Amino acid sequence: MDPRNTSRQCSEYRHTHRTNRVTQARFVCRSCGTVLQADHRGSPDIAHRAGAAWQRGAVAPRTA
């Protein structure tokens, strides 16, 4: 999955802006005020994007 902007996108309302990532470690959404640790904030978005891609059929299920 493309991780671009995942650490800049709010998990609450999906607002994405370059200034949401205040520092390397801190995320503050300029829209709703959500404050989180930036890298931990990005990982749920990657999972969400992967799930959405799988539902669209863009990602094949893993086989052994």
Side-chain angles (χ1 to χ4, degrees):
M1 299 308 331
D2 183 2
R4 195 175 349 191
N5 289 320
T6 54
S7 63
R8 296 176 177 180
Q9 184 178 49
C10 180
S11 57
E12 294 297 317
Y13 300 104
R14 303 279 182 234
H15 173 74
T16 304
H17 196 274
R18 63 181 175 82
T19 61
N20 282 350
R21 182 84 181 243
V22 179
T23 67
Q24 181 67 28
R26 187 177 166 141
F27 173 90
V28 179
C29 180
R30 301 300 179 197
S31 180
C32 70
T34 297
V35 178
L36 297 166
Q37 200 284 336
D39 289 333
H40 289 223
R41 219 272 13 91
S43 58
D45 275 342
I46 293 171
H48 179 295
R49 290 178 186 188
W54 183 79
Q55 287 181 349
R56 288 191 315 268
V59 178
R62 215 177 195 179
T63 58

